[in-house]
Amino acid sequence: MALFEEIAKFQKEMMPKIPQDVLQTMQKTSAEIISKNLHHGALKSGDTIPAFTLPDATGTPVSSDQLLKSGLLVISFYRGGWCPYCNLELKALQSALLKIKTLKANLIVISPELQDHARVTQEENSLEYPVLSDVDNSVAKQFGLVYELGEEMTELFKHTFNWDLQSINGAQKVELPFPATYIVNQEGVVKYAFVDADYTQRAEPDKIIEVLRSCGD
């Protein structure tokens, strides 16, 4: 099943279970974020990514420069392990991991979660690729992906879904990255960029595989 089909299935099952007032607030806030067009400032195809080093779920530093020495690099930014859409994406990427490696590419995923939470995300989803902790969104900001989640949504998440993002991210101001997936060549140049201000939209693993194949041609 394609990722978009998994997302549609999840929405069909879960939407009716969310209180109407909560759903309306979430939809209103999402529409406001999308309307600001903040994601238009993100890195795009042809841009060069900044070099970065972030800790994985075990605290081991992972360097983009080191990964690029061995081949192409797939980078996915996600909001956090608390986000059901993110978990669907992370599992879909895990299913595609063997194909990604076969095409001589590395895969890493990045969120602002503290390292302990990143480890839980990795363990609960049985992920076999590095899950990196980008505290304060330092790298996501360099990619132009960050927006601030307002107090209304921060409190709604905390009291309705038990998602305490201030605690999960270790920050008073809750900032999140837009869903984004990049494929980068060994020179650090972006060959494919998927960025969407709608948090329900994600890059399809099949598209990632298609681009990786074309990069090798």
Side-chain angles (χ1 to χ4, degrees), residues 199-213:
Y199 66 89
T200 71
Q201 301 301 304
R202 308 295 163 123
E204 285 291 331
D206 285 349
K207 179 62 177 179
I208 295 171
I209 299 302
E210 177 188 324
V211 174
L212 289 174
R213 286 193 176 121

Side-chain angles (χ1 to χ4, degrees), residues 87-107:
N87 288 319
L88 289 173
E89 179 188 15
L90 296 176
K91 290 175 183 176
L93 288 172
Q94 175 60 39
S95 295
L97 182 60
L98 181 58
K99 289 182 179 178
I100 291 172
K101 288 185 172 181
T102 300
L103 292 165
K104 296 181 172 54
N106 289 300
L107 167 65

Side-chain angles (χ1 to χ4, degrees), residues 115-147:
Q115 185 184 314
D116 286 348
H117 293 282
R119 184 173 65 252
V120 171
T121 297
Q122 182 159 39
E123 292 173 351
E124 290 187 346
N125 291 297
S126 301
L127 306 179
E128 299 173 353
Y129 50 78
V131 178
L132 308 186
S133 180
D134 182 22
V135 176
D136 294 328
N137 289 285
S138 59
V139 173
K141 287 176 181 174
Q142 294 180 69
F143 277 73
L145 297 172
V146 178
Y147 67 98

